[in-house]
Amino acid sequence: MAAYKGQYRFSFGPWNISEGADPFGPPVRQPIPLAKKIKLARKLQFELVQFHDDDVVPDLDSKSSSQIAKEARKVKKMLNDEGLEAEFVAPRLWFAPETIDGAYTNNDPKCRRYAITRTKTAIDIANILGTRKIVLWLAREGTYIRESKIARIQVLQIRDAINTFLEYDPNICILIEPKPNEPVDSAIISTIGHAVGLSYMTADPSRVGVLVETAHSILAGLDPSDDMGYALAHNKLWSVHLNDQGGLKFDQDKTFGSYNLRRAFNQVRVLEEYGYGRKGECVGLDVQMMRTQKASGNWKHLAYSRERFLFLLEKVATLDRKIEEQLIRERDYEELDRFILCHLMGKKYE
Ligand code: XUL
Ligand code: MN
């Protein structure tokens, strides 16, 4: 693969090389140690790695802060040795018994305290890894039945939690990654609009932004490139999770562009045309290989998502704007549709 020397820096997370377990069957591939995944990132020309807090320090809750710091420094060294950086750290607020009924919005104050402490630990880990970015995927902040929680109170609880973190570390930035459902039936911060609105309610909106994930926008019935455009208009698009999703199913995290190349094109286009990446924002992936994939090909979904992004970048650069502008002026959108499809299919437009 030829080296790419453009403006974009790519990232993925260790969970993107998974063992293939699903709710109906066990793992089908051997686990790969973190050190190997980090080496693979380098080999595939990724420059940053995304982390959950316990990707860095497994079994976090059973360890002392000095043990956690020691293990985080080891991971920092692994990154340094490969010339890589950490993009962000995300607290895993959906796995422990304390988070069964939510993290910051749990009905039990003891459990809410757990979530706050756990997030502070994730912030400490981020500091050791040398990143300011904390991603909050609010996985269990929502309900299975409407009467179990009050939406208004939940929103304020999440705001207060974010304020606590902004005060705990005046350097960090919070990136909210919304998703409308799964695991909960109904998530409280379900779309980018909700996340941006919430950011303005915090004590320092300049340090609270968003991460748009393709699949999450589609699950909300929205267009991911529109969600990106919306966040860009607020100067709050600080990361993305590119992948693909075939409509309203479980969260598929397919290889970027594999379902809908045109939708992928429009995401690349909005990023490229409105300054994304120029301030160091990453082209982050959140892709899962198919369960059927053999272990020997466990890198392909990553490499090919990146390759497709770069291919679509070329498609953005070579789109004939004069024709597009003329068709828009003439309000001939059937023709515009054909023009775009010819361009994507590599067919001469005439
Ligand atoms: C869940 C999801 C997470 C976050 C990181 O759907 O996308 O992997 O990206 O916590
Ligand atoms: Mn994601």
Side-chain angles (χ1 to χ4, degrees), residues 177 211 213 216 241 286:
E177 179 183 352
L211 179 158
E213 171 162 327
H216 297 181
H241 268 172
D286 193 358

Side-chain angles (χ1 to χ4, degrees), residues 15 52 90 94 135 137 177 179 213 216 241 251 253 286:
W15 65 93
H52 292 120
W94 53 90
V135 167
W137 170 44
E177 179 183 352
K179 179 176 176 182
E213 171 162 327
H216 297 181
H241 268 172
D251 186 8
D253 295 344
D286 193 358

Side-chain angles (χ1 to χ4, degrees), residues 242-262:
L242 299 185
N243 54 27
D244 211 355
Q245 171 76 24
L248 300 180
K249 314 181 179 200
F250 61 96
D251 186 8
Q252 291 181 292
D253 295 344
K254 300 279 281 183
T255 302
F256 182 52
S258 80
Y259 259 105
N260 190 328
L261 209 48
R262 183 183 195 167

Side-chain angles (χ1 to χ4, degrees), residues 224-238:
S225 64
D226 284 353
D227 274 355
M228 289 171 187
Y230 182 83
L232 284 164
H234 288 271
N235 293 319
K236 284 187 180 288
L237 187 63
W238 300 345

Side-chain angles (χ1 to χ4, degrees), residues 14-32 37 250 252 287-295 298 301:
W15 65 93
N16 289 155
I17 306 173
S18 70
E19 291 89 65
D22 70 15
F24 307 97
V28 290
R29 294 176 290 266
Q30 290 301 313
I32 310 282
K37 292 182 182 178
F250 61 96
Q252 291 181 292
V287 289
Q288 289 297 344
M289 75 190 97
M290 294 175 227
R291 189 166 190 263
T292 49
Q293 184 70 357
K294 289 185 184 152
N298 65 7
H301 59 307

